[in-house]
Amino acid sequence: MVAILTYDTPIGGHVNISGFTGGDFNNTTLHIPVQDGSNNDVIGILSASLANSTTTGSSLVFDNGSLVTSIGSNAFANCYGFNGGLTLPTGLQSIGDGAFFDCYGFTGGLVIPNGVTGISIATFNNCYGFNGGLTLPTGLQSIGDSAFYNCYGFTGGLVIPNGVTGIGNNAFYNCYGFNGGLTLPTGLQSIGGGAFAGCTGFNGGLTLPTGL
């Protein structure tokens, strides 16, 4: 039986996904809708609302015109059965700690939308299924500890946007799939321990910012 999404109490015609009931999401597509069944706009996914749900052989799709602006901490944590690509909604502004922790089935590249200014602790930790490029938002300011820990499938180069001032501990630990250049921003002030440990595939020169 396919599970059904549940929502919190509407406020001003807006709701957040708060959980699910009635089964699992195996071998199906988990759609994040634009509206719920009562025509309230779905604007967020609450913390841990879909964590540990059974998603074997499933894909995750934000429906066309998605209005989701926030994905809470651990929202999809341990949903390691997903496969296929992950396309985040263009209006997304925040992604919480561990939001996609241990979601290691996704494939293809990953584009973080431009409205996101921070990538939190362990947001994509252990998401090693991705096998395309990683594009970070132009307005990004910080990358938290273990943000992309063990995401070793990403390929191509990696450009850290100019607004980033800090890269956390183990942020890109073991991301050895990158096989292009690494570009660091001139305003970077700190790089945490192990931030690029095990990233053996980068090539070309590396210029460290003077502010480090």
Side-chain angles (χ1 to χ4, degrees), residues 56-141:
T56 303
S58 302
S59 55
L60 174 63
V61 173
F62 288 83
D63 285 350
N64 250 353
S66 175
L67 300 171
V68 170
T69 59
S70 65
I71 299 174
S73 299
N74 300 308
F76 294 97
N78 298 313
C79 292
Y80 50 79
F82 285 128
N83 57 30
L86 173 62
T87 302
L88 297 172
T90 56
L92 189 64
Q93 298 173 14
S94 65
I95 312 174
D97 294 352
F100 292 94
F101 182 93
D102 230 12
C103 291
Y104 50 75
F106 290 120
T107 59
L110 176 63
V111 176
I112 311 290
N114 278 332
V116 175
T117 58
I119 298 173
S120 302
I121 297 171
T123 298
F124 293 96
N125 186 305
N126 212 37
C127 290
Y128 54 77
F130 289 115
N131 55 4
L134 171 63
T135 303
L136 300 175
T138 55
L140 192 65
Q141 299 171 12

Side-chain angles (χ1 to χ4, degrees), residues 18-90:
S18 60
F20 63 97
T21 186
D24 56 48
F25 298 105
N26 286 339
N27 302 308
T28 187
T29 299
L30 171 52
H31 286 274
I32 305 301
V34 177
Q35 294 185 319
D36 68 0
S38 301
N39 298 320
N40 296 297
D41 293 341
V42 178
I43 60 168
I45 303 169
L46 297 181
S47 296
S49 56
L50 297 168
N52 303 307
S53 54
T54 307
T55 56
T56 303
S58 302
S59 55
L60 174 63
V61 173
F62 288 83
D63 285 350
N64 250 353
S66 175
L67 300 171
V68 170
T69 59
S70 65
I71 299 174
S73 299
N74 300 308
F76 294 97
N78 298 313
C79 292
Y80 50 79
F82 285 128
N83 57 30
L86 173 62
T87 302
L88 297 172
T90 56

